[in-house]
Amino acid sequence: QKMDDYRAVFDKVEIATVCIFTIEYVLRFSTRGGTCLSRIRWMFTNFFSIVDLISILPFYVDLAIPGRQSYLATQWVRVARLLRLLPPLPYDLIWKKSSKLLMASGFAGFTVWVICAALYYWFETNNPEMTYCPDDEFKHEDACWNRFHSIPAAMYYSLLNFFGEFPLADQHSLGGRFVGGFIQVMGAAVMAIPA
């Protein structure tokens, strides 16, 4: 109920910011040198131009489609506005120079993620404490499942752990506690490597 009290204010702030973004985008497009075709090419090839376009399009899509609040799928795209905070660096050159290192570290990270998920699955698949029932009151057996019933399901929880969400260790088996602790150390190490 509190959110409804401020909805009008948030809508006005959003309209104002989208108008400012739109005016700035149109001015950048119209003052760009070259032919109209080169401007359109810039619009779809420049990183920050694409970010700006993706940032303002959901607002206009929601205006064009009736029942604006029922189309929440466009809401998450507005987070792309945060990409404008990135400094204007030559990202294509950085990718060319560091692509092998980035691919190797991405592969190593994915491998550690899958191994940790497999270990979670191995230790926690028969743990009765990891059973989730959406209907806790009646606990129908056909509606309950183990959170670690498969490796892909365990990948979800291990990914949460990598991002700092530590599991409730008192419900884990001893092996699951070690895996959770290892994931926490690895997650902290990955964050500390760039520093």
Side-chain angles (χ1 to χ4, degrees):
Q1 187 179 5
K2 290 276 187 189
M3 189 66 183
D4 291 336
D5 297 340
Y6 298 107
R7 184 171 302 278
V9 174
F10 286 137
D11 285 342
K12 289 176 184 174
V13 168
E14 183 177 15
I15 289 169
T17 57
V18 168
C19 286
I20 291 169
F21 275 122
T22 304
I23 290 168
E24 189 260 343
Y25 190 77
V26 169
L27 286 174
R28 272 195 301 139
F29 178 79
S30 61
T31 58
R32 181 135 185 102
T35 64
C36 186
L37 185 62
S38 68
R39 291 179 189 171
I40 292 173
R41 188 177 312 121
W42 166 82
M43 198 161 84
F44 293 108
T45 58
N46 183 283
F47 175 74
F48 291 111
S49 174
I50 294 170
V51 168
D52 288 343
L53 190 62
I54 289 173
S55 298
I56 61 176
L57 275 181
F59 177 80
Y60 294 111
V61 168
D62 286 346
L63 278 181
I65 298 174
R68 182 175 153 227
Q69 295 303 324
S70 63
Y71 292 98
L72 295 177
T74 62
Q75 297 295 323
W76 68 270
V77 180
R78 296 169 193 206
V79 177
R81 292 176 184 157
L82 295 176
L83 293 175
R84 288 294 290 160
L85 299 175
L86 292 173
L89 297 173
Y91 293 106
D92 55 341
L93 184 63
I94 293 170
W95 174 255
K96 285 178 186 173
K97 287 185 175 182
S98 305
S99 62
K100 290 181 182 178
L101 177 65
L102 292 171
M103 295 293 281
S105 60
F107 179 74
F110 182 76
T111 304
V112 170
W113 180 29
V114 171
I115 289 171
C116 288
L119 288 173
Y120 255 153
Y121 168 75
W122 189 36
F123 287 119
E124 301 297 335
T125 190
N126 295 322
N127 185 352
E129 292 291 324
M130 292 295 116
T131 302
Y132 172 73
C133 295
D135 186 10
D136 277 337
E137 187 176 337
F138 299 108
K139 294 199 178 198
H140 297 291
E141 290 298 321
D142 56 338
C144 299
W145 68 86
N146 187 297
R147 290 183 176 107
F148 298 94
H149 65 276
S150 66
I151 292 177
M155 286 176 77
Y156 170 73
Y157 290 102
S158 60
L159 187 65
L160 285 178
N161 296 155
F162 274 121
F163 286 122
E165 188 68 35
F166 192 72
L168 297 172
D170 60 335
Q171 296 177 353
H172 282 279
S173 65
L174 181 63
R177 291 177 188 172
F178 277 113
V179 172
F182 176 74
I183 287 175
Q184 290 296 305
V185 169
M186 291 304 293
V190 167
M191 294 312 239
I193 285 172

